[in-house]
């Protein structure tokens, strides 16, 4: 009797991959939409945001942190330098994170899931803090004595007056997700790759830190809080292992398939052929 069962593997593979991709895109887009909508809830808390800004500025001076103005003065040595910093702030944050996630999704599925969960935890915690602690950035604080480099030199992603900005919440300075996401990008690439040069990825969060402070969009403490929240998320989300299953439903390397035998495992004993005539009496066959 012939069987009418058709193997579903080849046909189901591409369909399953498309479903996973659509699910991930909807999940990331939905989470980002909720985050952006949530941030806008504190846009009208202007007085509270400036009071918190004054407290943050005083706390940094109490802790003897370097003034943000020192970094800004370095950027203001040339128009090209400060414009490059503004462009980096406006144009690198989201594209770099998106390319990072796409690469992980295609090449390191287990690391993608780990990274997505860590970023979701970090961003969710950031949203809670944005709502609980609205904070005006240093470019808006008179006591800081800094200029809004984006407004003066361009390009800018914000309106000159926060009240006129209906698409962004300028009072969501702490924590800095620019720095938090950049740091996770570096840590994720270090974890997912094996090149001896992989630690150079740490230059990205370092450069991001100098840019967000020098352009007066964030305080030093904004980056410190972002790093603490990221550290907490990394503690809560387990790092992927080589044997973790990937989104295709398969598993990582089979622990029983190794390049060599495991220590302590006995090898099968094979009988070796005896040398010819070894058992024969001396003189036999003559």
């Amino acid at each position: 009797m012939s069987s009418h069962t058709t193997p579903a593997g080849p046909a189901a593979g591409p369909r399953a991959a498309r479903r996973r991709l659509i699910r991930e895109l909807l999940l990331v887009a939905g989470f980002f939409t909720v985050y952006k909508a949530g941030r806008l809830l504190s846009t009208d808390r202007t007085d509270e945001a400036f009071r918190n800004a004054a407290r943050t500025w005083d706390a940094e001076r109490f802790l003897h942190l370097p003034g943000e103005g020192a970094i800004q003065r370095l950027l203001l040595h040339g128009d090209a330098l400060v414009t490059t910093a503004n462009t980096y702030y406006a144009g690198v944050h989201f594209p770099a994170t998106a390319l990072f996630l796409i690469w992980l999704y295609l090449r390191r599925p287990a690391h993608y899931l780990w990274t997505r969960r860590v970023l979701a935890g970090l961003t969710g915690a950031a949203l809670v803090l944005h709502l609980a602690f609205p904070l005006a950035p240093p470019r808006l604080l008179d006591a800081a004595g800094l200029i809004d480099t984006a407004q003066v030199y361009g390009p800018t992603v914000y309106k000159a007056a926060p009240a006129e900005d209906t698409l962004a919440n300028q009072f969501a300075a702490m924590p800095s997700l620019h720095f938090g996401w950049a740091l996770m990008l570096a840590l994720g690439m270090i974890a997912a790759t094996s090149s001896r040069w992989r630690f150079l990825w740490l230059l990205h969060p370092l450069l991001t830190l100098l840019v967000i402070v020098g352009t007066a969009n964030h305080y030093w403490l904004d980056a410190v809080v972002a790093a603490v929240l990221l550290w907490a998320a990394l503690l809560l989300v387990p790092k992927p292992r080589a044997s973790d299953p990937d989104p295709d439903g398969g598993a990582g390397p089979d622990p029983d398939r190794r390049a060599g035998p495991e220590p302590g495992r006995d090898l099968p004993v094979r009988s070796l052929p005896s040398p010819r005539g070894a058992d024969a009496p001396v003189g036999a066959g003559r």
Side-chain angles (χ1 to χ4, degrees):
M1 179 182 297
S2 62
S3 173
H4 296 284
T5 304
T6 304
R15 286 199 298 268
R18 284 194 296 269
R19 287 195 299 268
R20 285 194 303 274
L21 178 59
I22 293 173
R23 181 188 63 210
E24 288 298 324
L25 291 175
L26 291 176
L27 182 64
V28 173
F31 185 80
F32 182 72
T33 300
V34 171
Y35 169 74
K36 292 292 288 184
R39 274 173 47 124
L40 294 177
L41 295 177
S42 61
T43 54
D44 58 345
R45 298 162 65 182
T46 303
D47 293 340
E48 186 178 357
F50 278 96
R51 284 195 301 271
N52 289 335
R55 295 188 184 104
T56 301
W57 183 259
D58 292 341
E60 288 191 341
R61 307 294 74 80
F62 176 79
L63 295 172
H64 301 289
L65 294 178
E68 287 81 355
I71 306 300
Q72 184 169 96
R73 285 191 292 272
L74 292 176
L75 295 182
L76 294 177
H77 275 246
D79 290 0
L81 185 59
V82 68
T83 302
T84 300
N86 291 333
T87 303
Y88 192 93
Y89 180 85
V92 173
H93 177 51
F94 286 112
T97 306
L99 289 174
F100 165 58
L101 290 173
I102 290 171
W103 185 85
L104 287 180
Y105 182 85
L106 296 175
R107 302 297 299 273
R108 303 289 190 273
H111 283 83
Y112 166 79
L113 291 175
W114 170 63
T115 302
R116 188 244 285 160
R117 290 165 182 163
V118 171
L119 286 177
L122 168 63
T123 307
L127 176 57
V128 173
L129 193 52
H130 291 162
L131 297 176
F133 192 78
L135 178 66
R139 58 187 165 78
L140 298 177
L141 182 64
D142 292 337
L146 302 174
I147 68 171
D148 188 341
T149 60
Q151 292 293 334
V152 176
Y153 297 93
T156 182
V157 294
Y158 299 119
K159 297 289 184 66
E164 300 173 359
D165 206 333
T166 58
L167 298 178
N169 180 5
Q170 298 192 38
F171 298 149
M174 180 181 289
S176 169
L177 286 181
H178 268 74
F179 179 73
W181 287 11
L183 183 56
M184 185 57 208
L185 187 156
L187 296 178
M189 291 302 295
I190 290 172
T193 58
S194 58
S195 169
R196 62 179 179 176
W197 303 104
R198 64 188 184 278
F199 290 97
L200 291 177
W201 284 104
L202 292 172
L203 292 175
H204 175 50
L206 176 60
L207 183 57
T208 300
L209 176 61
L210 297 177
V211 165
I212 64 176
V213 171
T215 57
N217 282 292
H218 287 281
Y219 306 90
W220 294 111
L221 285 178
D222 297 341
V224 172
V225 173
V228 171
L229 292 178
L230 177 59
W231 172 75
L234 289 170
L235 288 180
L236 293 174
V237 180
K239 189 177 178 181
R241 299 169 299 178
S243 59
D244 284 345
D246 61 27
D248 292 330
D254 188 346
D256 292 330
R257 295 180 181 179
R258 302 180 185 272
E262 294 183 7
R265 176 177 288 185
D266 294 332
L267 294 174
V269 179
R270 297 181 180 179
S271 59
L272 298 177
S274 301
R276 183 168 179 172
D279 297 329
V282 178
R286 287 186 181 179

